[in-house]
Amino acid sequence: MSGAREAPIRVSEIFGPTIQGEGVLIGLPTIFVRTGGCDYRCSWCDSLHAVDSEYRDQWLPMTVDGIWADVTRLSGGKPLMVSLSGGNPAIQPLGGLIAHGHAQGYKFALETQGSVAKEWFADLDVLVLSPKPPSSGMATDWDAFDDCLRLAGNGPAIALKIVVFDDRDYAYAREAAARYPDLSVYLQPGNHTPPPPDDDDARVDIDGIMDRMLWLVDKVAEDRWFEARVLPQLHVLLWGNKRGV
Ligand code: SF4
């Protein structure tokens, strides 16, 4: 294995097996590799421990071999789906990890906001592109987003996932979906209550999330937007914003 010669991957946490809590793979048994660092600062980010440089000293520079030892131990050697998340995992050198895991029968899903494109996107099994709506405070670079799609090509299954808090976010989601009519679309009611990252008992406003979910379901039904699927974050309903589940 050549992992030791490759650039290290900054890892915030590796955990599982658990279920994928959102989007196209919801409910699927999954091992998570969460990388550290992000080029965005969304106002409602629920993963600040993998974003804010304040937590940088908790991100371990790991080789492919080191990450893989954890993945195989957690999965008991059974080739599960490995979800590459962050932060923005696209800023890490993950091509070698994907090739290594594929050789052992594992599959890889990656979620990114679509701001950084990599050649190795083509090697993924699932690519979830999650452009951030106005409530995030971030502006979408659609040229970079298009680059992500171009480099992914026909390799992975690709889905759009958009968090929606309000009417402006909903309008943004409609525009994004219209821009990419061939992609499946997942809408997710926003979670307004990011906890302090070290809070192990991270409660969230479940009533608020469910109110937003009902509002969103009504919106897509009224608009006859039948291509969109509306899903909550299952892991948030089960465990709040707790880390490592
Ligand atoms: S892109 Fe994702 S990880 Fe990065 S700041 Fe926004 S919500 Fe957090």
Side-chain angles (χ1 to χ4, degrees), residues 28-43:
L28 190 73
T30 299
I31 303 293
F32 281 85
V33 177
R34 187 188 299 283
T35 61
C38 188
D39 47 322
Y40 273 24
R41 291 293 181 277
C42 298
S43 62

Side-chain angles (χ1 to χ4, degrees), residues 46 49 55 193-204 239-244:
D46 62 1
H49 61 292
Y55 301 95
T193 51
D198 293 330
D199 184 354
D200 240 15
D201 186 23
R203 303 300 166 102
V204 293
W239 297 296
N241 278 348
K242 195 172 177 182
R243 287 167 60 170

Side-chain angles (χ1 to χ4, degrees), residues 38 40-42 44-45 51 86-87 113 132:
C38 188
Y40 273 24
R41 291 293 181 277
C42 298
W44 33 253
C45 179
V51 170
Q113 62 266 41
K132 303 307 177 193

Side-chain angles (χ1 to χ4, degrees), residues 11-19 32-37 45-52 54-60 85-87 191 193-204 235-245:
V11 175
S12 167
E13 54 184 343
I14 301 174
F15 61 93
T18 184
I19 53 166
F32 281 85
V33 177
R34 187 188 299 283
T35 61
C45 179
D46 62 1
S47 306
L48 282 176
H49 61 292
V51 170
D52 203 315
E54 181 186 340
Y55 301 95
R56 183 182 290 262
D57 60 1
Q58 298 176 12
W59 306 339
L60 288 181
S85 67
N191 170 6
T193 51
D198 293 330
D199 184 354
D200 240 15
D201 186 23
R203 303 300 166 102
V204 293
H235 57 289
V236 171
L237 300 184
L238 291 171
W239 297 296
N241 278 348
K242 195 172 177 182
R243 287 167 60 170
V245 287

